[in-house]
Amino acid sequence: MPEYPQPAAEVGRIEPAPRRIRAFLAGELVLDTSRARYVWEWPPYPQYYVPAADVRRDLLVDEGRTEETPFGAARVHGLRTGEFARASCARWYGADAPPGLADTIRFDWSALDAWFEEDEEVFVHPRSPYARVDALRSTRRVRVELDGTVLAESTSPVLVFETGLPTRYYLSRTDVRFRHLVPSRTRTACPYKGRTSGYWSVRAGDRVHPDLAWSYDFPTAALLPIAGLVAFYNEKVDLIVDGKRLPRPRTHFS
């Protein structure tokens, strides 16, 4: 049994998405709907399938071909607005789609410049209604090591519990030994936490381990307790929590 909760939805699940969803390309509104469907193409999170009536059809470019997908045949379209074009980024489902998906369009997330749930920008992919991300203050004693080098030590961490991932330990910058850290230009984004503001590699001995720590200076409202704190990948460092050395978990970040 894994040591943390796993995603609750199975592949093929379809649910209504009651949030207003909008997406933009080059400043043009491509879609605006309150009738999207959550569709799970794999367990961790869903994709949006949007009613064709809520899409700017004048921006769609029919590429004249059909693809067979697990949800039926889909007509492939691109997007074009002015000089900006995205090829093969939209699939328009027909009458053979599962109930609720006929005449919906599924867009590649990265083909659009920005997605919004209501008036909040969402990054990477839609937020799953079956996932929780909680940031809780703690007095656990946490030490972070790599190859015998102590990178951080704290008795006031903020613990982040996220469905499908191991617990992350966010530590005050005053508890981090930055002499072992090297600033990185890497930046990432998370649907639940927002955009990172900093990444660091770790110098241990004569080796530099890339991108092992990160921080969110301006996280989403729900994750404000982690603002400005630093976390390390459990998968790539050694964590000692209340005197117990934790095994390194195996995830897609390993």
Side-chain angles (χ1 to χ4, degrees), residues 49-50 59 73 86 118 120 122 155 182 186 210 248 250 252:
Y49 283 56
V50 179
L59 303 182
R86 301 287 188 271
E118 297 299 335
E120 292 193 7
V122 179
T155 56
V182 181
T186 298
R248 293 189 183 183
R250 296 291 300 176
H252 58 286

Side-chain angles (χ1 to χ4, degrees), residues 103-146:
D103 210 26
T104 64
I105 301 175
R106 190 271 202 201
F107 290 90
D108 294 343
W109 188 274
S110 60
L112 296 166
D113 296 335
W115 290 78
F116 290 83
E117 293 182 353
E118 297 299 335
D119 287 341
E120 292 193 7
E121 189 172 1
V122 179
F123 309 98
V124 187
H125 59 73
R127 296 168 177 165
S128 171
Y130 301 120
R132 284 191 63 91
V133 185
D134 296 310
L136 304 180
R137 294 186 299 274
S138 177
T139 54
R140 295 196 193 199
R141 179 176 293 276
V142 178
R143 189 166 76 251
V144 184
E145 297 181 355
L146 182 62

Side-chain angles (χ1 to χ4, degrees), residues 17 31 51 54 111 122 127 136 165 169 173 212 241:
L31 62 94
D54 297 337
V122 179
R127 296 168 177 165
L136 304 180
L165 286 174
Y169 299 84
R173 294 190 184 215
L212 297 194
V241 179

